[in-house]
Amino acid sequence: MFDVHPPNASIHGWRDFFIHMATITIGLLIALGLEGTVEWFHHRHVMHQAEKSMLAEIKANAAGMQVRFKELQTHQEELRQDIDFLNRVIADPKMDHGSLSLKFDINGFDNVSWATAQSTGAVAYMSYAEAREYSDIYSEQAEIDLQARQAVRDMSVALGAVLDLKGQPSLDAQDARLLKQQIQTLQGQLFLVNSLVHSMDKSYQVFLSRHQRY
C-alpha cells in the first residue's frame, strides 16, 4: 500500500504544481518498480523450487520402471499358465486340476510435487512450453495409473468367479470357459498397461535428456 502525502509547503503557481506532481509520479513509479521486482524474484523462486521438486519426483518414478517391467512380465506369465491350465480343464474336466494364480500389483507413480505446483500457482509462472512438458509427463503417468486400476477391477471379476467355486469338488468345463474369458480380458488390459509403461519409459528418457542441467 502506498501513501501519498500533500506537500508541506504551499504551492505557488503552476510551475510548483507540476514539479510536485512529477515528484509524486516518479516516487510512485519507483515504488511500484521495486515491488514488482521483489514479486518477480519471489515468483521465480517459487517456480524454481517447484521445478526442482518435480524433476526429483520424475527421476524417482523413472528409476522404478525396471521394477514395473518385471512385475508386468511376471503377471503376464502367470496368466498364460492359468489359460493353459483352463484349456486342459476344458479338454478334460476330470483331470487333476492343479491351481490358479490370480493377482495383480504394480508400483504407482508419485505426483505430489505436480499437485503442489498446481495448487500453489507455481505452474502459472512457467513458460507455456515448460508447463506443457511437465503436464504431458504427469498426464501419461495418470493414464497408466487409471488403466492399472482397471486391470485390478478385471482381476477382481475373475477372482470373484473362483471364489464362487469355493467348496465345489471340481471345476467343470463351463466354469473353466467363463473363467478363461475373464482372464483373457485381464490379459488384454495388462497388454495395454504394458504398452503404456514402455511408452512412458521413452518419454522419461526424452524428458530427462532435456533436463540434465539440474
Side-chain angles (χ1 to χ4, degrees), residues 64-212:
M65 293 304 283
Q66 293 304 317
V67 174
R68 295 181 180 91
F69 290 141
K70 186 175 181 180
E71 289 173 341
L72 286 168
Q73 184 178 5
T74 298
H75 293 319
Q76 288 170 328
E77 179 58 31
E78 290 171 346
L79 292 179
R80 281 193 290 268
Q81 293 175 4
D82 289 340
I83 292 295
D84 289 342
F85 165 71
L86 292 171
N87 283 335
R88 293 196 300 272
V89 173
I90 293 170
D92 181 14
K94 295 182 180 180
M95 64 168 283
D96 184 10
H97 287 170
S99 62
L100 287 168
S101 176
L102 284 175
K103 61 181 180 179
F104 175 74
D105 57 353
I106 181 173
N107 288 335
F109 297 91
D110 294 330
N111 65 351
V112 175
S113 295
W114 172 245
T116 301
Q118 289 179 303
S119 65
T120 59
V123 176
Y125 307 143
M126 299 179 184
S127 68
Y128 175 81
E130 290 176 321
R132 178 65 181 271
E133 192 176 21
Y134 281 103
S135 177
D136 287 346
I137 284 289
Y138 279 99
S139 293
E140 274 196 75
Q141 292 179 176
E143 179 63 20
I144 294 174
D145 286 338
L146 175 64
Q147 297 303 329
R149 288 193 293 271
Q150 180 60 53
V152 171
R153 287 192 290 270
D154 292 339
M155 183 274 296
S156 299
V157 171
L159 183 60
V162 175
L163 294 176
D164 288 341
L165 298 172
K166 186 177 180 180
Q168 295 185 10
S170 64
L171 179 67
D172 61 29
Q174 181 179 355
D175 293 329
R177 289 190 185 94
L178 175 60
L179 186 54
K180 177 184 175 181
Q181 182 180 8
Q182 292 166 337
I183 291 178
Q184 286 174 328
T185 299
L186 176 56
Q187 281 183 309
Q189 188 65 22
L190 285 188
F191 178 81
L192 173 59
V193 172
N194 187 64
S195 297
L196 292 174
V197 168
H198 277 82
S199 178
M200 185 82 258
D201 188 48
K202 293 179 182 178
S203 295
Y204 280 145
Q205 293 175 25
V206 172
F207 177 89
L208 293 176
S209 69
R210 295 175 180 169
H211 295 77
Q212 293 179 350

Side-chain angles (χ1 to χ4, degrees), residues 23-96:
T23 302
I24 293 175
T25 301
I26 292 171
L28 288 173
L29 289 175
I30 292 173
L32 288 170
L34 289 174
E35 184 184 39
T37 300
V38 171
E39 188 175 356
W40 182 84
F41 277 110
H42 173 69
H43 290 172
R44 294 289 294 178
H45 175 71
V46 170
M47 183 188 71
H48 286 309
Q49 287 296 109
E51 286 183 327
K52 183 178 179 180
S53 180
M54 287 189 293
L55 184 60
E57 189 171 67
I58 290 171
K59 283 182 176 179
N61 285 332
M65 293 304 283
Q66 293 304 317
V67 174
R68 295 181 180 91
F69 290 141
K70 186 175 181 180
E71 289 173 341
L72 286 168
Q73 184 178 5
T74 298
H75 293 319
Q76 288 170 328
E77 179 58 31
E78 290 171 346
L79 292 179
R80 281 193 290 268
Q81 293 175 4
D82 289 340
I83 292 295
D84 289 342
F85 165 71
L86 292 171
N87 283 335
R88 293 196 300 272
V89 173
I90 293 170
D92 181 14
K94 295 182 180 180
M95 64 168 283
D96 184 10

Side-chain angles (χ1 to χ4, degrees), residues 4-19:
V4 179
H5 300 283
N8 294 323
S10 60
I11 297 175
H12 302 284
W14 287 105
R15 183 175 179 275
D16 288 348
F17 173 77
F18 284 120
I19 291 175

